[in-house]
Amino acid sequence: MKETYEVILSKPFQMWGAEMGVNEFGLAIGNEAVFTRVKIKKDNAGLTGMDLLRLALERSKNPKEAIACIAQLLEAFGQDACGGYKNNDFFYHNSFIIADSTSAYILETAGKSWALKIIPTIGSISNGLQIGTDYDEIHLAEEKLNFPFHYLPKPKPFSFQGYFSDFLYTTAGKAKKRQNCSFGMMESQNGRFNVEKAMAILKTHDKDEEVFEPKNATTASLCMHATGYTNPSTTTGSMVAEIRNNIPSTVWLTGTSMPCLSVFIPFFLGTTTLKNFPQPGASPDNSLWWKAEIVHRWVCDDYQNRKKTISQDLFLLQADFLKKESELMKDRASLKTLETFSSECLQKVNYFYSRLIQKEGIRFSPA
């Protein structure tokens, strides 16, 4: 490509691709790992879903262009790249939620095959295929399925989910429960859905907050906390994108793990707030992500009590950011003003974690 578009991304530190992001045209994409019956050779000759997401954001101006971009890349390279950090055997396929201010789609993949569904009002994805026979467009590639599924005849009418979905990983990951939770919480708003409520959804656990304990967490939570072999994942970053026409969009990012203990910080395309933002490494350092991680792990050791010591400060920070952002948008503030505001918010969150580490004597060892 001779030209790539400006993007704001949330990504693993060790990867080029991203889990979610927004570009300068207000195109937003998020992805989830899905597990299918299509055989993966595991020779790292293809792309990850995060590669596909970033490439689509850098090369597309709207959802239809992004869908076409991902489809072309799938056909040319396929999905055969490890998505794990320390687990070199972690290979999977991907689903995407793709939207701008005018339209939204769910794109699910299984190898080089894919199904597309238009989102009429609200939609959500999780770690499992959900498009059955209700697709708006479909492409089926001739690829080998894992044994014994390569004997499986194609159903009529054809169900993308029914034919490709891997039962074991999809069930163990409780993908349907999480997707039903996020969709149901949005649907219950009856048209009153907003940024603050989106943030609240991302903080949701599978038990009431009064009794929730991270050490007992399962894969059913939207805000995930790793507990061990059967539940190895923690939510490492969260985003809410408020896409607008004619005035700047706001990209709310935590830049930290565990959204239940995080603050969403406003960022804007066309600004330099993130230009010198320290990226985290593999071990504790002075990045915001690691400062927050040290604090979050400390809170989780005595979750119910320690969360109370910081919850009011977290609430006040978030409420302040939301209020000031709303006022700036109403006044149609300049990009320079938005950049200053964003930088101040970032500094306040960084100071919050730095101060708490010092105040509580939390062990923190920068590399």
Side-chain angles (χ1 to χ4, degrees):
M1 289 289 290
K2 293 182 179 179
E3 180 183 16
T4 56
Y5 304 133
E6 182 188 1
V7 295
I8 292 179
L9 305 172
S10 179
K11 59 186 286 298
F13 76 93
Q14 80 279 11
M15 283 190 172
W16 179 84
E19 294 180 325
M20 49 201 164
V22 181
N23 75 8
E24 62 183 280
F25 299 100
L27 172 67
I29 309 179
N31 93 310
E32 290 278 8
V34 292
F35 303 92
T36 79
R37 294 167 173 172
V38 175
K39 185 176 181 61
I40 302 176
K41 293 182 179 179
K42 297 187 178 181
D43 57 10
N44 283 300
L47 299 171
T48 65
M50 287 177 272
D51 293 331
L52 294 168
L53 185 152
R54 179 168 178 171
L55 288 165
L57 284 174
E58 291 185 340
R59 299 179 178 186
S60 310
K61 294 182 179 180
N62 56 58
K64 288 188 176 180
E65 287 187 7
I67 292 161
C69 178
I70 292 173
Q72 291 166 7
L73 291 167
L74 282 176
E75 186 62 31
F77 303 104
Q79 300 180 83
D80 184 2
C82 181
Y85 169 43
K86 293 184 178 180
N87 182 357
N88 295 325
D89 195 45
F90 191 46
F91 289 74
Y92 51 82
H93 296 141
N94 293 266
S95 69
F96 303 89
I97 191 160
I98 304 170
D100 64 6
S101 63
T102 61
S103 60
Y105 302 83
I106 292 173
L107 175 66
E108 296 185 342
T109 71
K112 294 185 177 184
S113 298
W114 51 267
L116 180 70
K117 185 177 180 180
I118 298 169
I119 300 176
T121 52
I122 58 173
S124 66
I125 60 174
S126 188
N127 297 110
L129 300 176
Q130 62 177 281
I131 300 176
T133 59
D134 55 339
Y135 45 81
D136 293 290
E137 193 174 343
I138 193 168
H139 169 76
L140 299 178
E142 290 299 324
E143 292 186 281
K144 187 176 181 180
L145 303 187
N146 289 315
F147 179 85
F149 301 112
H150 57 279
Y151 294 113
L152 194 69
K154 290 184 174 65
K156 295 182 179 179
F158 185 81
S159 167
F160 194 83
Q161 177 193 48
Y163 185 70
F164 285 117
S165 186
D166 176 277
F167 176 80
L168 178 61
Y169 283 99
T170 302
T171 303
K174 296 181 172 61
K176 186 63 176 175
K177 184 171 183 178
R178 281 183 283 115
Q179 195 268 326
N180 283 343
C181 177
S182 58
F183 186 89
M185 292 180 77
M186 287 188 288
E187 190 175 41
S188 68
Q189 298 302 318
N190 294 319
R192 300 186 303 274
F193 189 59
N194 59 26
V195 168
E196 193 170 1
K197 289 171 182 174
M199 293 173 180
I201 289 174
L202 294 174
K203 295 172 182 283
T204 302
H205 300 121
D206 63 329
K207 294 181 176 62
D208 291 339
E209 278 304 298
E210 292 75 14
V211 297
F212 174 76
E213 288 291 344
K215 63 183 178 182
N216 299 323
T218 71
T219 54
S221 286
L222 297 181
C223 174
M224 298 188 76
H225 297 256
T227 58
Y229 180 76
T230 59
N231 181 34
S233 299
T234 294
T235 302
T236 55
S238 303
M239 179 183 87
V240 175
E242 191 168 12
I243 307 301
R244 304 182 179 94
N245 290 319
N246 303 319
I247 59 174
S249 299
T250 306
V251 185
W252 296 92
L253 291 163
T254 60
T256 58
S257 69
M258 305 182 200
C260 66
L261 301 172
S262 296
V263 177
F264 286 82
I265 305 166
F267 297 100
F268 305 90
L269 276 301
T271 65
T272 62
T273 305
L274 291 170
K275 185 176 181 180
N276 298 311
F277 184 63
Q279 300 299 305
S283 56
D285 51 42
N286 278 312
S287 65
L288 171 63
W289 194 91
W290 268 112
K291 288 179 183 178
E293 183 67 7
I294 297 298
V295 170
H296 292 175
R297 292 182 188 184
W298 172 78
V299 172
C300 287
D301 285 339
D302 188 6
Y303 185 80
Q304 288 298 330
N305 289 320
R306 289 177 178 172
K307 185 179 179 182
K308 291 176 184 176
T309 68
I310 67 170
S311 59
Q312 184 64 12
D313 288 337
L314 291 173
F315 174 81
L316 290 174
L317 270 177
Q318 194 67 80
D320 180 56
F321 294 173
L322 286 163
K323 180 176 181 291
K324 288 182 179 177
E325 187 268 352
S326 178
E327 292 170 350
L328 289 170
M329 287 300 146
K330 185 178 180 180
D331 294 339
R332 293 183 173 264
S334 68
L335 267 182
K336 187 63 179 176
T337 300
L338 294 175
E339 180 176 293
T340 299
F341 166 63
S342 179
S343 297
E344 289 173 350
C345 292
L346 181 57
Q347 290 169 12
K348 287 178 181 178
V349 174
N350 191 58
Y351 174 71
F352 166 78
Y353 285 113
S354 297
R355 184 191 61 179
L356 193 63
I357 288 169
Q358 184 177 21
K359 177 183 176 183
E360 298 294 340
I362 302 170
R363 187 176 178 181
F364 179 66
S365 302

